[in-house]
């Protein structure tokens, strides 16, 4: 009897793993690529190139910023357009995620004084129409001290350093999340669903602005 239940459990577990891999193939591929080159899946250090070739922001600005920009995180292979100016409506935001990562419009833009909020998918079903269904699949790999940047069209590059990450319940109050949102330093919070394939919780990564001299 025990062997029968053992075989049943093994079959069930195997079927679950296969189903998960099929439904979250983008996430699986991203993690395999990361595992083959631990710590980075970059094809080039674009941050170093940006430091040499582009004007880096020395200070946070209060002036209006363009509504075209890209988020680049070399260490986890992210290079995605940021979608701005969407209403705070779940359907509009979800549609916007097909075109990149989404800036939450009630927050400041990255590079302005305050806390900017940017949302992205961690995984999406194979039939998902957008090209960014797993753009934040490796968000949990980001470690304190790692740098990434946001490049505005025709404007300066804003560099950020990762400070911390946390997993939280979006349906309950969380003092840790409130602490991130009330951070007095100019910062950005990257948010995605967690665990992969669910919307049960969220993962948030907080990073703070680095003035130009600190990036060299």
């Amino acid at each position: 009897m025990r062997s029968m239940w053992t075989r049943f459990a093994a079959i069930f577990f195997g079927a679950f793993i296969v189903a998960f891999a099929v439904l979250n193939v983008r996430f699986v591929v991203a993690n395999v690529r990361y595992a083959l080159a631990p710590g980075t899946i970059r094809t080039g250090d674009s941050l170093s190139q940006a430091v040499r070739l582009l004007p880096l922001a020395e200070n946070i600005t209060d002036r209006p910023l363009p509504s075209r920009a890209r988020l680049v995180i070399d260490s986890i292979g992210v290079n995605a357009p940021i979608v701005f100016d969407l209403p705070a409506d779940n359907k509009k935001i979800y549609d916007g995620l097909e075109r990149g990562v989404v800036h939450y419009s009630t927050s400041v833009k990255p590079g302005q004084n305050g806390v900017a909020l940017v949302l992205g998918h961690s995984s999406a079903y194979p039939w998902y129409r957008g090209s960014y269904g797993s753009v934040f699949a490796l968000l949990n790999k980001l470690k304190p001290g790692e740098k990434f940047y946001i490049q505005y069209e025709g404007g300066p590059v804003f560099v950020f350093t990762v400070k911390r990450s946390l997993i939280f319940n979006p349906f309950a109050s969380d003092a840790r999340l409130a602490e991130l949102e009330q951070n007095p330093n100019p910062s950005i919070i990257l948010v995605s669903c967690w665990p992969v394939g669910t919307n049960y919780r969220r993962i948030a990564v907080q990073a703070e602005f680095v003035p130009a001299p600190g990036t060299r």
Side-chain angles (χ1 to χ4, degrees), residues 10-57:
I11 292 171
F12 177 83
F13 183 73
F16 173 81
I17 294 296
V18 170
F20 176 87
V22 169
L23 292 177
N24 297 279
V25 63
R26 303 168 193 243
F27 171 81
V28 172
V29 169
N31 274 270
V32 168
R33 291 178 62 202
Y34 188 88
L36 292 176
T40 178
I41 55 173
R42 70 185 65 173
T43 55
D45 189 347
S46 60
L47 176 56
S48 294
Q49 295 173 16
V51 168
R52 292 196 303 270
L53 302 176
L54 300 170
L56 297 183

Side-chain angles (χ1 to χ4, degrees), residues 7 28 43 48 51 54 57-58 105 111 115 117 125 132 140 147-148 158 161 167 185 189-191 214:
R7 287 197 300 272
V28 172
T43 55
S48 294
V51 168
L54 300 170
E58 298 180 1
S105 59
V115 179
L117 185 62
Y125 297 138
Y132 300 96
N140 65 313
K147 290 183 172 66
F148 61 85
F158 291 88
T161 297
I167 307 295
N185 300 316
I189 301 176
L190 309 177
V191 179

